[in-house]
Amino acid sequence: MEQGTVVEVTSEEELRALVGEPAQHTRDKVRTTLHALDREWLAHSPFCLVATSAADGSCDVSPKGDPPGFVKVLDDRTLAIPDRPGNKRVDGLLNVLSNPHVGLVFFLPGRGDTLRVNGRARIVREAPFLEEMVARRDRPQLALVVEVREVFHHCAKASLRSSLWEPETWRPDALPHRARLAKALDRSGDSLEFLEAYYGPRYAEKVRTEG
């Protein structure tokens, strides 16, 4: 990396002097309970990001996805996210055990704006609502139950600047396929032929039908 002068920002006063203050309507948009429109958004959202941090400050962001409405609203201040079978790292869940604060961003495909929820989470292994979260014949073993502390809608500037939802800008083949990435980075002991078969069309079919 080329060496040069690096000037850090080290105080809120310095940061505010650079970026300014938010408009009053931006300050006031944060709510502590879910509005009917938030519930409607959650009912149509098939994907969210869950941000967590451990007690030591180490962070994780985990994607969660299922058919629209997979996140269950328990009441105006509580929602539940099912934990589906995965790679068993459970980085986010481990973080919650030592630090319950979480940040959530809910997406609607094709929409630039997002719904953001911040709150406190706990891991639940048994509850009546787990029976209502069955997908692909899978009843989740666990759910992340989040007590809403802050909820607000976020504008589409980042999506517009990145052209995120504009198909003509998509370049999925600009990087090697998942099989080649796995071979190079984390599954060097498996043959490329095996990985190409594993991550081929049957992989998507298996995930969509079996979880």
Side-chain angles (χ1 to χ4, degrees):
M1 185 172 121
E2 184 178 338
Q3 297 297 313
T5 301
V6 176
V7 181
E8 294 186 22
V9 175
T10 58
S11 69
E12 181 177 347
E13 291 76 17
E14 184 181 6
L15 181 62
R16 284 297 177 197
L18 289 168
V19 304
E21 296 288 341
Q24 192 62 45
H25 68 270
T26 302
R27 291 181 184 274
D28 294 343
K29 72 177 180 178
V30 179
R31 293 168 280 108
T32 58
T33 59
L34 296 169
H35 187 278
L37 290 171
D38 303 326
R39 287 172 170 261
E40 192 172 350
W41 187 285
L42 292 169
H44 287 84
S45 175
F47 182 81
C48 74
L49 297 174
V50 181
T52 60
S53 64
D56 65 2
S58 56
C59 297
D60 179 74
V61 178
S62 178
K64 303 293 182 183
D66 250 329
F70 74 102
V71 172
K72 183 172 180 58
V73 176
L74 302 180
D75 58 49
D76 287 345
R77 295 200 61 176
T78 318
L79 53 83
I81 304 172
D83 185 66
R84 301 297 183 192
N87 59 17
K88 304 186 191 324
R89 285 183 56 96
V90 295
D91 296 305
L93 296 182
L94 289 171
N95 284 347
V96 167
L97 291 176
S98 63
N99 176 9
H101 298 282
V102 299
L104 315 173
V105 181
F106 293 93
F107 293 79
L108 289 182
R111 286 280 297 256
D113 48 337
T114 55
L115 176 66
R116 294 173 59 172
V117 176
N118 298 320
R120 289 177 61 88
R122 53 197 172 98
I123 304 168
V124 171
R125 61 179 292 183
E126 196 58 61
F129 59 79
L130 291 175
E131 302 295 338
E132 302 172 27
M133 305 176 97
V134 174
R136 298 170 300 276
R137 302 179 300 280
D138 171 65
R139 176 190 182 276
Q141 286 187 303
L142 303 169
L144 195 66
V145 176
V146 179
E147 177 191 341
V148 176
R149 295 294 181 87
E150 295 181 317
V151 55
F152 58 98
H153 287 259
H154 198 87
C155 73
K157 287 180 181 176
S159 296
L160 293 171
R161 289 168 179 155
S162 65
S163 301
L164 178 64
W165 298 114
E166 297 174 22
E168 63 272 20
T169 70
W170 297 349
R171 300 290 183 269
D173 297 325
L175 292 172
H177 185 267
R178 170 61 188 150
R180 292 186 176 273
L181 292 175
K183 176 67 175 174
L185 301 175
D186 51 66
R187 298 189 63 168
S188 59
D190 292 320
S191 71
L192 183 59
E193 292 74 18
F194 170 82
L195 292 170
E196 286 178 336
Y198 179 81
Y199 289 113
R202 286 181 296 177
Y203 179 78
E205 181 181 352
K206 180 178 185 296
V207 170
R208 291 187 179 119
T209 58
E210 301 177 23

